[in-house]
């Protein structure tokens, strides 16, 4: 993840904690949150169960950290891919469409993890910690740090993106709608070609519709 210290400068605790989170994600995805045992996560991580509880006060805290890790790394991967695909001759509106389609591919590349996040949200809600799951853009719209925000600002400058609406609200609503859609499709999908084709069509329709909202009339 972004911001990690070089391996030689990171403490053993930091290394072990990251390994526990990574192995917890695998266990939660494979077995479900309720069925996954802290003892097995500890064994897979090469630490003791007591050590896991030194890093995380409860299983709930580990679920929260695991869900946040997934969203952080998934968003980083999608945004890095989007930046590689953008051409210098693309106007802002075209960039918006390309970036949205990059996010939509999470359905195909991270389907089981999206199902885990849905389960994690319900689990954390029961434990009173649902509000801590920050599945939202990694940066404020005004900071122009993420690729979607940058594409919107470019479009407003080159005239391809409209300026007559509350663009910040559209930006946040776009992320919520996109992530909600791919998560729902992942939950109801049955890993067969018909489901994948249905998802592909719906996601393309969604991206086309959202791109239309951004384009200047």
């Amino acid at each position: 993840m972004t911001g990690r210290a070089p391996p030689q400068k990171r403490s053993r605790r930091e290394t072990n904690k990251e390994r526990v989170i990574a192995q917890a994600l695998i266990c939660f995805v494979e077995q479900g949150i309720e069925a996954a045992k802290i003892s097995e996560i500890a064994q897979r991580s090469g630490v003791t169960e007591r050590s896991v509880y030194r890093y995380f006060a409860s299983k709930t805290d580990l679920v929260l950290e695991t869900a946040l890790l997934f969203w952080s790394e998934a968003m980083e991967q999608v945004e890095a891919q989007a930046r590689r695909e953008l051409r210098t001759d693309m106007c802002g509106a075209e960039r918006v469409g390309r970036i949205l389609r990059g996010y939509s591919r999470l359905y195909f590349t991270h389907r089981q993890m999206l199902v885990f996040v849905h389960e994690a949200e319900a689990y954390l809600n029961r434990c009173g910690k649902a509000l801590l799951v920050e599945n939202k853009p990694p940066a404020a719209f005004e900071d122009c740090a993420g690729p979607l925000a940058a594409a919107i600002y470019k479009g407003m400058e080159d005239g391809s993106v409209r300026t007559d609406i509350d663009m910040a609200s559209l930006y946040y609503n776009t992320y919520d709608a996109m992530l909600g859609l791919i998560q729902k499709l992942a939950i109801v999908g049955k890993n067969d070609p018909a489901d994948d084709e249905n998802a592909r069509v719906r996601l393309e329709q969604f991206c086309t519709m959202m791109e239309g909202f951004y384009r200047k009339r």
Side-chain angles (χ1 to χ4, degrees):
M1 292 175 60
T2 302
R4 288 177 181 169
Q8 68 273 18
K9 293 185 179 180
R10 291 165 55 229
S11 69
R12 181 177 178 182
R13 177 186 175 85
E14 290 173 324
T15 301
N16 287 345
K17 185 175 179 180
E18 288 178 3
R19 190 159 58 243
V20 168
I21 295 172
Q23 291 301 319
L25 178 58
I26 295 172
C27 288
F28 293 150
V29 168
E30 291 179 348
Q31 304 169 19
I33 294 172
E34 295 288 356
K37 304 297 185 184
I38 295 296
S39 57
E40 181 178 351
I41 294 171
Q43 183 178 24
R44 290 192 182 198
S45 305
V47 300
T48 65
E49 187 172 350
R50 180 176 295 180
S51 293
V52 174
Y53 284 112
R54 282 202 294 267
Y55 306 142
F56 305 96
S58 65
K59 185 177 182 179
T60 303
D61 291 324
L62 178 56
V63 171
L64 173 62
E65 287 294 326
T66 305
L68 293 179
L69 173 70
F70 162 71
W71 278 126
S72 176
E73 294 194 340
M75 298 297 265
E76 285 178 7
Q77 292 170 16
V78 170
E79 292 172 2
Q81 181 65 32
R83 290 188 178 97
R84 289 193 293 270
E85 293 179 354
L86 299 181
R87 304 191 311 270
T88 56
D89 62 338
M90 282 183 174
C91 68
E94 290 177 305
R95 289 170 177 251
V96 167
R98 183 63 62 89
I99 291 163
L100 291 178
R101 287 171 177 83
Y103 285 121
S104 75
R105 287 196 290 268
L106 281 173
Y107 166 81
F108 299 98
T109 60
H110 293 74
R111 184 184 305 178
Q112 292 305 312
M113 292 184 183
L114 289 167
V115 175
F116 152 69
V117 170
H118 174 73
E119 184 183 356
E121 289 169 351
Y123 181 88
L124 292 168
N125 184 59
R126 294 194 297 272
C127 299
K129 293 191 176 184
L131 293 178
L132 299 179
V133 182
E134 301 183 51
N135 57 333
K136 61 182 183 181
F141 176 69
E142 293 76 14
D143 294 342
C144 194
L148 182 57
I152 294 169
Y153 277 105
K154 177 177 175 56
M156 289 191 291
E157 291 175 0
D158 64 30
S160 62
V161 168
R162 59 196 300 188
T163 57
D164 61 330
I165 58 174
D166 181 350
M167 191 55 71
S169 292
L170 180 57
Y171 168 80
Y172 293 119
N173 289 338
T174 298
Y175 271 100
D176 288 343
M178 171 63 79
L179 298 178
L181 177 57
I182 59 175
Q183 192 174 53
K184 179 178 180 179
L185 290 171
I187 293 166
V188 301
K190 297 180 176 63
N191 292 318
D192 63 43
D195 284 331
D196 285 351
E197 178 60 18
N198 174 65
R200 187 194 65 77
V201 171
R202 289 190 61 184
L203 289 166
E204 177 59 29
Q205 290 173 340
F206 176 82
C207 291
T208 299
M209 177 182 68
M210 293 307 303
E211 185 179 354
F213 285 147
Y214 283 96
R215 280 191 178 274
K216 190 172 184 178
R217 287 359 185 217

mmCIF file of all heavy atoms in Angstrom, residues 186-217:
data_model
loop_
_atom_site.group_PDB
_atom_site.id
_atom_site.type_symbol
_atom_site.label_atom_id
_atom_site.label_comp_id
_atom_site.label_asym_id
_atom_site.label_seq_id
_atom_site.Cartn_x
_atom_site.Cartn_y
_atom_site.Cartn_z
ATOM 1 N N ALA A 186 -21.823 -8.617 -7.849
ATOM 2 C CA ALA A 186 -20.959 -9.683 -7.330
ATOM 3 C C ALA A 186 -21.718 -10.597 -6.385
ATOM 4 O O ALA A 186 -21.528 -11.818 -6.381
ATOM 5 C CB ALA A 186 -19.757 -9.074 -6.617
ATOM 6 N N ILE A 187 -22.606 -10.026 -5.588
ATOM 7 C CA ILE A 187 -23.348 -10.807 -4.602
ATOM 8 C C ILE A 187 -24.332 -11.757 -5.278
ATOM 9 O O ILE A 187 -24.454 -12.922 -4.900
ATOM 10 C CB ILE A 187 -24.094 -9.873 -3.628
ATOM 11 C CG1 ILE A 187 -23.085 -9.095 -2.776
ATOM 12 C CG2 ILE A 187 -25.059 -10.655 -2.738
ATOM 13 C CD1 ILE A 187 -23.685 -7.931 -2.036
ATOM 14 N N VAL A 188 -25.035 -11.268 -6.299
ATOM 15 C CA VAL A 188 -26.078 -12.086 -6.930
ATOM 16 C C VAL A 188 -25.527 -12.984 -8.039
ATOM 17 O O VAL A 188 -26.205 -13.908 -8.486
ATOM 18 C CB VAL A 188 -27.210 -11.204 -7.497
ATOM 19 C CG1 VAL A 188 -27.828 -10.369 -6.402
ATOM 20 C CG2 VAL A 188 -26.708 -10.305 -8.624
ATOM 21 N N GLY A 189 -24.306 -12.725 -8.497
ATOM 22 C CA GLY A 189 -23.730 -13.514 -9.582
ATOM 23 C C GLY A 189 -23.441 -14.944 -9.165
ATOM 24 O O GLY A 189 -23.186 -15.239 -7.998
ATOM 25 N N LYS A 190 -23.489 -15.843 -10.146
ATOM 26 C CA LYS A 190 -23.277 -17.269 -9.870
ATOM 27 C C LYS A 190 -22.087 -17.831 -10.650
ATOM 28 O O LYS A 190 -22.014 -19.020 -10.922
ATOM 29 C CB LYS A 190 -24.530 -18.059 -10.199
ATOM 30 C CG LYS A 190 -25.735 -17.689 -9.355
ATOM 31 C CD LYS A 190 -26.937 -18.523 -9.731
ATOM 32 C CE LYS A 190 -28.122 -18.220 -8.809
ATOM 33 N NZ LYS A 190 -28.567 -16.818 -8.921
ATOM 34 N N ASN A 191 -21.180 -16.950 -11.045
ATOM 35 C CA ASN A 191 -19.954 -17.393 -11.728
ATOM 36 C C ASN A 191 -20.231 -18.201 -13.002
ATOM 37 O O ASN A 191 -19.561 -19.188 -13.275
ATOM 38 C CB ASN A 191 -19.071 -18.233 -10.784
ATOM 39 C CG ASN A 191 -18.489 -17.401 -9.655
ATOM 40 O OD1 ASN A 191 -18.057 -16.285 -9.873
ATOM 41 N ND2 ASN A 191 -18.495 -17.953 -8.466
ATOM 42 N N ASP A 192 -21.238 -17.798 -13.758
ATOM 43 C CA ASP A 192 -21.451 -18.449 -15.045
ATOM 44 C C ASP A 192 -21.440 -17.389 -16.147
ATOM 45 O O ASP A 192 -21.606 -16.195 -15.879
ATOM 46 C CB ASP A 192 -22.742 -19.275 -15.065
ATOM 47 C CG ASP A 192 -23.998 -18.433 -14.880
ATOM 48 O OD1 ASP A 192 -24.102 -17.348 -15.492
ATOM 49 O OD2 ASP A 192 -24.886 -18.856 -14.131
ATOM 50 N N PRO A 193 -21.232 -17.802 -17.397
ATOM 51 C CA PRO A 193 -21.108 -16.840 -18.502
ATOM 52 C C PRO A 193 -22.308 -15.911 -18.646
ATOM 53 O O PRO A 193 -22.145 -14.745 -19.007
ATOM 54 C CB PRO A 193 -20.948 -17.749 -19.726
ATOM 55 C CG PRO A 193 -20.335 -19.003 -19.192
ATOM 56 C CD PRO A 193 -20.957 -19.188 -17.844
ATOM 57 N N ALA A 194 -23.502 -16.417 -18.356
ATOM 58 C CA ALA A 194 -24.693 -15.571 -18.487
ATOM 59 C C ALA A 194 -24.652 -14.423 -17.493
ATOM 60 O O ALA A 194 -24.995 -13.278 -17.833
ATOM 61 C CB ALA A 194 -25.956 -16.411 -18.283
ATOM 62 N N ASP A 195 -24.237 -14.705 -16.264
ATOM 63 C CA ASP A 195 -24.131 -13.643 -15.259
ATOM 64 C C ASP A 195 -23.069 -12.634 -15.655
ATOM 65 O O ASP A 195 -23.254 -11.417 -15.489
ATOM 66 C CB ASP A 195 -23.797 -14.236 -13.892
ATOM 67 C CG ASP A 195 -25.000 -14.891 -13.241
ATOM 68 O OD1 ASP A 195 -26.128 -14.462 -13.512
ATOM 69 O OD2 ASP A 195 -24.802 -15.846 -12.476
ATOM 70 N N ASP A 196 -21.948 -13.120 -16.151
ATOM 71 C CA ASP A 196 -20.877 -12.211 -16.557
ATOM 72 C C ASP A 196 -21.323 -11.326 -17.712
ATOM 73 O O ASP A 196 -20.995 -10.135 -17.747
ATOM 74 C CB ASP A 196 -19.634 -13.006 -16.971
ATOM 75 C CG ASP A 196 -18.889 -13.576 -15.769
ATOM 76 O OD1 ASP A 196 -19.244 -13.210 -14.628
ATOM 77 O OD2 ASP A 196 -17.972 -14.384 -15.972
ATOM 78 N N GLU A 197 -22.050 -11.883 -18.659
ATOM 79 C CA GLU A 197 -22.514 -11.082 -19.787
ATOM 80 C C GLU A 197 -23.546 -10.052 -19.329
ATOM 81 O O GLU A 197 -23.526 -8.900 -19.770
ATOM 82 C CB GLU A 197 -23.125 -11.987 -20.854
ATOM 83 C CG GLU A 197 -23.686 -11.249 -22.069
ATOM 84 C CD GLU A 197 -22.642 -10.421 -22.815
ATOM 85 O OE1 GLU A 197 -21.430 -10.648 -22.625
ATOM 86 O OE2 GLU A 197 -23.048 -9.533 -23.600
ATOM 87 N N ASN A 198 -24.439 -10.460 -18.430
ATOM 88 C CA ASN A 198 -25.410 -9.515 -17.890
ATOM 89 C C ASN A 198 -24.705 -8.379 -17.157
ATOM 90 O O ASN A 198 -25.060 -7.204 -17.310
ATOM 91 C CB ASN A 198 -26.356 -10.232 -16.933
ATOM 92 C CG ASN A 198 -27.306 -9.279 -16.233
ATOM 93 O OD1 ASN A 198 -28.153 -8.641 -16.857
ATOM 94 N ND2 ASN A 198 -27.172 -9.183 -14.914
ATOM 95 N N ALA A 199 -23.691 -8.734 -16.363
ATOM 96 C CA ALA A 199 -22.938 -7.714 -15.633
ATOM 97 C C ALA A 199 -22.205 -6.789 -16.595
ATOM 98 O O ALA A 199 -22.182 -5.572 -16.396
ATOM 99 C CB ALA A 199 -21.944 -8.383 -14.686
ATOM 100 N N ARG A 200 -21.610 -7.367 -17.630
ATOM 101 C CA ARG A 200 -20.884 -6.543 -18.599
ATOM 102 C C ARG A 200 -21.808 -5.529 -19.249
ATOM 103 O O ARG A 200 -21.467 -4.343 -19.375
ATOM 104 C CB ARG A 200 -20.259 -7.432 -19.674
ATOM 105 C CG ARG A 200 -19.343 -6.673 -20.651
ATOM 106 C CD ARG A 200 -19.031 -7.491 -21.867
ATOM 107 N NE ARG A 200 -20.227 -7.746 -22.671
ATOM 108 C CZ ARG A 200 -20.776 -6.832 -23.468
ATOM 109 N NH1 ARG A 200 -20.268 -5.621 -23.566
ATOM 110 N NH2 ARG A 200 -21.856 -7.143 -24.153
ATOM 111 N N VAL A 201 -23.000 -5.969 -19.643
ATOM 112 C CA VAL A 201 -23.962 -5.072 -20.292
ATOM 113 C C VAL A 201 -24.421 -3.985 -19.333
ATOM 114 O O VAL A 201 -24.456 -2.799 -19.674
ATOM 115 C CB VAL A 201 -25.168 -5.872 -20.825
ATOM 116 C CG1 VAL A 201 -26.277 -4.929 -21.296
ATOM 117 C CG2 VAL A 201 -24.739 -6.786 -21.966
ATOM 118 N N ARG A 202 -24.773 -4.378 -18.127
ATOM 119 C CA ARG A 202 -25.265 -3.391 -17.158
ATOM 120 C C ARG A 202 -24.186 -2.378 -16.784
ATOM 121 O O ARG A 202 -24.463 -1.174 -16.650
ATOM 122 C CB ARG A 202 -25.773 -4.104 -15.903
ATOM 123 C CG ARG A 202 -27.073 -4.863 -16.103
ATOM 124 C CD ARG A 202 -27.640 -5.340 -14.788
ATOM 125 N NE ARG A 202 -27.939 -4.213 -13.891
ATOM 126 C CZ ARG A 202 -28.386 -4.375 -12.639
ATOM 127 N NH1 ARG A 202 -28.569 -5.605 -12.158
ATOM 128 N NH2 ARG A 202 -28.624 -3.329 -11.877
ATOM 129 N N LEU A 203 -22.976 -2.846 -16.619
ATOM 130 C CA LEU A 203 -21.893 -1.930 -16.255
ATOM 131 C C LEU A 203 -21.575 -0.971 -17.393
ATOM 132 O O LEU A 203 -21.307 0.218 -17.159
ATOM 133 C CB LEU A 203 -20.652 -2.728 -15.850
ATOM 134 C CG LEU A 203 -20.772 -3.461 -14.507
ATOM 135 C CD1 LEU A 203 -19.651 -4.477 -14.347
ATOM 136 C CD2 LEU A 203 -20.757 -2.460 -13.356
ATOM 137 N N GLU A 204 -21.605 -1.458 -18.620
ATOM 138 C CA GLU A 204 -21.366 -0.581 -19.762
ATOM 139 C C GLU A 204 -22.479 0.457 -19.870
ATOM 140 O O GLU A 204 -22.219 1.642 -20.129
ATOM 141 C CB GLU A 204 -21.273 -1.401 -21.050
ATOM 142 C CG GLU A 204 -21.098 -0.566 -22.315
ATOM 143 C CD GLU A 204 -19.856 0.315 -22.296
ATOM 144 O OE1 GLU A 204 -18.864 -0.063 -21.639
ATOM 145 O OE2 GLU A 204 -19.884 1.387 -22.942
ATOM 146 N N GLN A 205 -23.721 0.039 -19.672
ATOM 147 C CA GLN A 205 -24.831 0.980 -19.699
ATOM 148 C C GLN A 205 -24.682 2.035 -18.613
ATOM 149 O O GLN A 205 -24.924 3.226 -18.837
ATOM 150 C CB GLN A 205 -26.159 0.241 -19.532
ATOM 151 C CG GLN A 205 -26.554 -0.613 -20.721
ATOM 152 C CD GLN A 205 -27.785 -1.457 -20.449
ATOM 153 O OE1 GLN A 205 -28.158 -1.702 -19.287
ATOM 154 N NE2 GLN A 205 -28.432 -1.926 -21.508
ATOM 155 N N PHE A 206 -24.271 1.586 -17.435
ATOM 156 C CA PHE A 206 -24.096 2.520 -16.323
ATOM 157 C C PHE A 206 -23.002 3.531 -16.637
ATOM 158 O O PHE A 206 -23.170 4.740 -16.421
ATOM 159 C CB PHE A 206 -23.751 1.754 -15.046
ATOM 160 C CG PHE A 206 -23.451 2.640 -13.872
ATOM 161 C CD1 PHE A 206 -24.478 3.183 -13.116
ATOM 162 C CD2 PHE A 206 -22.144 2.951 -13.528
ATOM 163 C CE1 PHE A 206 -24.205 4.019 -12.045
ATOM 164 C CE2 PHE A 206 -21.868 3.786 -12.453
ATOM 165 C CZ PHE A 206 -22.899 4.310 -11.707
ATOM 166 N N CYS A 207 -21.871 3.060 -17.139
ATOM 167 C CA CYS A 207 -20.755 3.958 -17.450
ATOM 168 C C CYS A 207 -21.150 4.950 -18.542
ATOM 169 O O CYS A 207 -20.805 6.143 -18.466
ATOM 170 C CB CYS A 207 -19.533 3.158 -17.887
ATOM 171 S SG CYS A 207 -18.781 2.195 -16.548
ATOM 172 N N THR A 208 -21.867 4.495 -19.538
ATOM 173 C CA THR A 208 -22.319 5.381 -20.615
ATOM 174 C C THR A 208 -23.269 6.441 -20.064
ATOM 175 O O THR A 208 -23.177 7.621 -20.419
ATOM 176 C CB THR A 208 -23.012 4.576 -21.723
ATOM 177 O OG1 THR A 208 -22.084 3.639 -22.274
ATOM 178 C CG2 THR A 208 -23.518 5.488 -22.838
ATOM 179 N N MET A 209 -24.185 6.017 -19.190
ATOM 180 C CA MET A 209 -25.127 6.957 -18.593
ATOM 181 C C MET A 209 -24.406 8.004 -17.751
ATOM 182 O O MET A 209 -24.679 9.211 -17.865
ATOM 183 C CB MET A 209 -26.132 6.198 -17.725
ATOM 184 C CG MET A 209 -27.129 7.087 -16.994
ATOM 185 S SD MET A 209 -28.247 6.128 -15.936
ATOM 186 C CE MET A 209 -27.082 5.550 -14.668
ATOM 187 N N MET A 210 -23.466 7.547 -16.909
ATOM 188 C CA MET A 210 -22.753 8.490 -16.054
ATOM 189 C C MET A 210 -21.881 9.435 -16.871
ATOM 190 O O MET A 210 -21.796 10.641 -16.571
ATOM 191 C CB MET A 210 -21.891 7.735 -15.042
ATOM 192 C CG MET A 210 -22.685 6.936 -14.011
ATOM 193 S SD MET A 210 -23.939 7.910 -13.128
ATOM 194 C CE MET A 210 -22.946 9.206 -12.417
ATOM 195 N N GLU A 211 -21.230 8.912 -17.905
ATOM 196 C CA GLU A 211 -20.432 9.779 -18.765
ATOM 197 C C GLU A 211 -21.309 10.855 -19.373
ATOM 198 O O GLU A 211 -20.891 12.016 -19.511
ATOM 199 C CB GLU A 211 -19.767 8.941 -19.863
ATOM 200 C CG GLU A 211 -18.816 9.737 -20.747
ATOM 201 C CD GLU A 211 -18.152 8.883 -21.803
ATOM 202 O OE1 GLU A 211 -18.332 7.636 -21.788
ATOM 203 O OE2 GLU A 211 -17.447 9.453 -22.656
ATOM 204 N N GLY A 212 -22.550 10.505 -19.725
ATOM 205 C CA GLY A 212 -23.489 11.479 -20.291
ATOM 206 C C GLY A 212 -23.832 12.580 -19.309
ATOM 207 O O GLY A 212 -24.023 13.737 -19.708
ATOM 208 N N PHE A 213 -23.915 12.237 -18.010
ATOM 209 C CA PHE A 213 -24.211 13.262 -17.005
ATOM 210 C C PHE A 213 -23.094 14.317 -16.955
ATOM 211 O O PHE A 213 -23.352 15.490 -16.686
ATOM 212 C CB PHE A 213 -24.364 12.628 -15.628
ATOM 213 C CG PHE A 213 -25.651 11.888 -15.430
ATOM 214 C CD1 PHE A 213 -25.700 10.767 -14.626
ATOM 215 C CD2 PHE A 213 -26.812 12.305 -16.036
ATOM 216 C CE1 PHE A 213 -26.874 10.065 -14.437
ATOM 217 C CE2 PHE A 213 -28.011 11.634 -15.854
ATOM 218 C CZ PHE A 213 -28.037 10.494 -15.055
ATOM 219 N N TYR A 214 -21.867 13.865 -17.184
ATOM 220 C CA TYR A 214 -20.730 14.780 -17.073
ATOM 221 C C TYR A 214 -20.553 15.632 -18.333
ATOM 222 O O TYR A 214 -20.074 16.770 -18.252
ATOM 223 C CB TYR A 214 -19.441 13.991 -16.825
ATOM 224 C CG TYR A 214 -19.299 13.498 -15.409
ATOM 225 C CD1 TYR A 214 -19.690 12.202 -15.060
ATOM 226 C CD2 TYR A 214 -18.767 14.309 -14.409
ATOM 227 C CE1 TYR A 214 -19.564 11.738 -13.756
ATOM 228 C CE2 TYR A 214 -18.622 13.854 -13.118
ATOM 229 C CZ TYR A 214 -19.032 12.562 -12.790
ATOM 230 O OH TYR A 214 -18.899 12.113 -11.495
ATOM 231 N N ARG A 215 -20.881 15.092 -19.484
ATOM 232 C CA ARG A 215 -20.631 15.807 -20.743
ATOM 233 C C ARG A 215 -21.425 17.091 -20.836
ATOM 234 O O ARG A 215 -22.597 17.145 -20.496
ATOM 235 C CB ARG A 215 -20.958 14.920 -21.936
ATOM 236 C CG ARG A 215 -19.863 13.920 -22.276
ATOM 237 C CD ARG A 215 -20.104 13.264 -23.610
ATOM 238 N NE ARG A 215 -19.024 12.356 -23.947
ATOM 239 C CZ ARG A 215 -17.896 12.724 -24.545
ATOM 240 N NH1 ARG A 215 -17.727 14.011 -24.889
ATOM 241 N NH2 ARG A 215 -16.955 11.839 -24.828
ATOM 242 N N LYS A 216 -20.755 18.099 -21.355
ATOM 243 C CA LYS A 216 -21.408 19.385 -21.559
ATOM 244 C C LYS A 216 -22.442 19.274 -22.650
ATOM 245 O O LYS A 216 -22.178 18.709 -23.714
ATOM 246 C CB LYS A 216 -20.361 20.455 -21.926
ATOM 247 C CG LYS A 216 -20.907 21.868 -21.921
ATOM 248 C CD LYS A 216 -19.762 22.866 -22.096
ATOM 249 C CE LYS A 216 -20.271 24.296 -21.999
ATOM 250 N NZ LYS A 216 -19.177 25.275 -22.126
ATOM 251 N N ARG A 217 -23.624 19.808 -22.388
ATOM 252 C CA ARG A 217 -24.710 19.766 -23.385
ATOM 253 C C ARG A 217 -24.419 20.689 -24.540
ATOM 254 O O ARG A 217 -23.872 21.747 -24.380
ATOM 255 C CB ARG A 217 -26.022 20.174 -22.765
ATOM 256 C CG ARG A 217 -26.782 19.225 -21.789
ATOM 257 C CD ARG A 217 -26.173 17.924 -21.521
ATOM 258 N NE ARG A 217 -27.077 17.101 -20.672
ATOM 259 C CZ ARG A 217 -26.676 16.307 -19.735
ATOM 260 N NH1 ARG A 217 -25.393 16.240 -19.459
ATOM 261 N NH2 ARG A 217 -27.511 15.567 -19.055
#
